[in-house]
């Protein structure tokens, strides 16, 4: 059987500096090699559509809650295998890592502390209206890719599976261990879905409006400024697709490696508005690019160095990866538990690594 193998490695960047030293375990080198050798290669525009045809979500009569005896380690291994097998099929340096993080994020990011609605409980993204929200475009790929895992481990709820996939993606890409516990249940429809518009937008038309929007979204969930910056550090993973969000490109040259590189690039690179793409005028939404034209930042990324309070945290994380990892693990675990009616706090807190 395949064994879990963490991916670490040096990060290729556009700024010359000594490589970040990492200790690479002997297993699961495929993903790390792709991050190093194929990080700057472009994903085919038809990738989303092509991937969708590989998976299909079939209706099943699964239990609404995860069974007590679910082997979380075995489920995590199955998710890791899906990530690796999918990347081998793609062969272009992209993977499901960033997409799985986004899936978990968007399942939980609808929470409101004002009335307790939304959050990761329910797995309502399987149904409309959430399945068809613009903010969730392309996530059918992630949900479909996890269907074989659900079939292999039918006792885990979809809600636990979707959030656990985000945890596995972070850990498999070299990120911190994220505390996780079971307890999310599956709803039978999307009738209890919160209203659309609760997930963060990339741009609200001006710096001031975008800063206010980002804070409004995260404050609504109960996060502070430091937690906001830590969570946005997940943009170290994955890329934007014009076929989904309209934006284009990865945030770093190592989109399958979790690191503080996103923050270092924000601070050290020169970012300018994107004007062209493949030799033609850029006709997509406003975004920024580095000096090579191969990396991108969204307006909601740029505010992290434009707002004084956010910038303090960005500068800290750019220098101290350990601080970022510690803060991210806590904030991401907190995010994934929003809206979940876990048992009394008097009962043990189980952490699965």
């Amino acid at each position: 059987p395949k064994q879990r193998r963490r991916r670490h490695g040096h990060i290729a960047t556009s700024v010359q500096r000594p490589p970040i030293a990492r200790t690479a375990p002997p297993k699961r080198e495929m993903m790390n090699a792709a991050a190093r050798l194929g990080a700057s290669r472009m994903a085919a525009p038809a990738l989303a559509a092509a991937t969708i045809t590989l998976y299909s979500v079939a209706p099943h009569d699964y239990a609404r809650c995860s069974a007590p005896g679910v082997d979380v380690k075995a489920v995590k291994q199955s998710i890791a295998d899906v990530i690796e097998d999918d990347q081998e099929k793609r062969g272009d340096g992209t993977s499901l890592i960033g997409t799985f993080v986004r899936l978990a994020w968007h399942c939980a990011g609808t929470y409101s502390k004002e009335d307790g609605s939304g959050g990761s409980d329910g797995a309502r993204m399987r149904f409309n209206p959430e399945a068809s929200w613009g903010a969730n475009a392309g996530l059918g790929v992630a949900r479909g890719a996890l269907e074989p895992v659900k079939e292999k481990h039918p006792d885990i709820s979809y809600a636990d599976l979707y959030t656990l996939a985000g945890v596995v993606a972070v850990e498999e890409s070299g990120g911190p261990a994220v505390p996780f516990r079971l307890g999310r249940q599956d709803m039978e429809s999307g009738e209890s879905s919160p209203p659309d518009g609760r997930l963060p937008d990339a741009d609200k038309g001006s710096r001031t409006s975008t800063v206010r929007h980002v804070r409004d979204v995260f404050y609504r969930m109960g996060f502070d400024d430091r937690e906001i910056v830590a969570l946005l550090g997940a943009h170290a993973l994955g890329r934007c697709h014009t076929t989904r969000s309209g934006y284009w490109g990865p945030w770093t040259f190592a989109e399958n490696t979790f690191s503080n590189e996103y923050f270092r690039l924000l601070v050290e690179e020169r970012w300018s508005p994107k004007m062209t793409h493949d030799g033609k005028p850029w006709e997509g939404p406003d975004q920024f690019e580095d000096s090579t034209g191969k990396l991108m930042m969204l307006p909601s990324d740029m505010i992290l160095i434009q707002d004084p309070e956010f910038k303090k945290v960005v500068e800290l994380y750019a220098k101290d990866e350990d601080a970022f990892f510690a803060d991210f693990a806590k904030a991401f675990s907190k995010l994934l538990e929003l809206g979940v009616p876990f048992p009394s706090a008097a009962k043990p807190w189980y952490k699965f690594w």
Side-chain angles (χ1 to χ4, degrees):
K2 295 182 179 178
Q3 298 182 1
R4 182 168 176 270
R5 295 160 286 180
R6 294 283 298 282
R7 276 168 289 281
H8 301 269
H10 303 311
I11 300 173
T13 71
S14 60
V15 178
Q16 296 299 318
R17 68 190 287 245
I20 299 174
R22 298 181 186 271
T23 302
K27 301 289 186 177
R28 200 177 279 271
E29 291 294 334
M30 176 69 70
M31 192 81 74
N32 191 43
R36 294 195 305 267
L37 301 177
S40 63
R41 299 168 64 180
M42 311 307 173
L47 180 60
T51 309
I52 291 174
T53 63
L54 295 177
Y55 309 102
S56 61
V57 180
H60 295 283
D61 185 19
Y62 291 124
R64 292 184 64 197
C65 299
S66 295
V70 171
D71 186 342
V72 176
K73 290 184 178 180
V75 178
K76 292 177 74 171
Q77 180 61 60
S78 293
I79 295 171
D81 290 342
V82 166
I83 292 173
E84 182 179 30
D85 293 344
D86 174 81
Q87 187 175 9
E88 291 177 356
K89 292 176 183 177
R90 297 184 182 204
D92 61 359
T94 66
S95 77
L96 284 167
I97 284 179
T99 312
F100 278 171
V101 172
R102 181 169 166 248
L103 173 67
W105 213 114
H106 284 213
C107 284
T110 59
Y111 180 72
S112 173
K113 65 180 182 180
E114 301 302 324
D115 60 9
S117 62
S120 64
D121 200 44
R124 290 172 288 249
M125 197 190 293
R126 293 172 296 148
F127 313 106
N128 284 324
E130 289 187 45
S132 58
W133 286 352
N136 292 334
L139 289 179
V141 173
R143 297 192 302 273
L146 290 171
E147 197 63 21
V149 180
K150 177 65 171 171
E151 293 176 354
K152 186 176 182 180
H153 306 279
D155 289 338
I156 190 170
S157 67
Y158 277 109
D160 281 335
L161 177 60
Y162 291 171
T163 48
L164 183 59
V167 171
V168 173
V170 169
E171 295 176 357
E172 286 295 308
S173 60
V178 178
F180 181 85
R181 54 177 171 169
L182 302 173
R184 299 160 190 80
Q185 63 180 348
D186 293 339
M187 300 302 177
E188 297 177 349
S189 72
E191 293 181 1
S192 60
S193 288
D196 193 3
R198 288 189 177 183
L199 294 168
D201 291 330
D203 187 8
K204 282 297 183 181
S206 71
R207 178 188 306 181
T208 301
S209 296
T210 303
V211 169
R212 182 170 58 248
H213 168 71
V214 169
R215 282 200 168 101
D216 286 347
V217 167
F218 283 89
Y219 286 1
R220 187 203 68 228
M221 292 187 281
F223 293 107
D224 59 28
D225 282 359
R226 182 161 176 148
E227 291 171 315
I228 292 172
V229 177
L231 287 171
L232 289 179
H235 280 173
L237 301 174
R239 62 170 55 221
C240 286
H241 301 263
T242 55
T243 55
R244 301 175 187 176
S245 64
Y247 297 97
W248 176 88
W251 286 269
T252 77
F253 282 117
E255 62 185 270
N256 297 318
T257 301
F258 195 93
S259 72
N260 67 338
E261 189 70 355
Y262 167 77
F263 298 112
R264 192 190 68 79
L265 288 167
L266 268 173
V267 172
E268 296 183 8
E269 265 292 346
R270 180 178 63 82
W271 299 94
S272 58
K274 183 176 180 63
M275 304 301 294
T276 62
H277 184 69
D278 289 339
K280 300 178 181 179
W282 170 246
E283 297 181 351
D286 291 344
Q287 66 176 74
F288 296 81
E289 63 182 10
D290 73 329
S291 56
T292 70
K294 296 178 180 178
L295 300 181
M296 61 83 67
M297 290 288 171
L298 303 169
S300 55
D301 296 312
M302 295 303 297
I303 64 165
L304 297 185
I305 55 174
Q306 294 165 345
D307 179 87
E309 295 305 313
F310 286 152
K311 187 176 182 180
K312 292 177 185 178
V313 187
V314 170
E315 291 175 338
L316 168 65
Y317 292 159
K319 297 177 181 178
D320 190 341
E321 187 175 76
D322 290 340
F324 166 50
F325 275 29
D327 287 352
F328 180 85
K330 294 176 183 177
F332 196 51
S333 179
K334 174 180 173 179
L335 171 69
L336 299 186
E337 297 201 347
L338 295 178
V340 184
F342 287 112
S344 170
K347 294 187 177 182
W349 175 293
Y350 295 101
K351 294 182 179 180
F352 302 99
W353 306 111

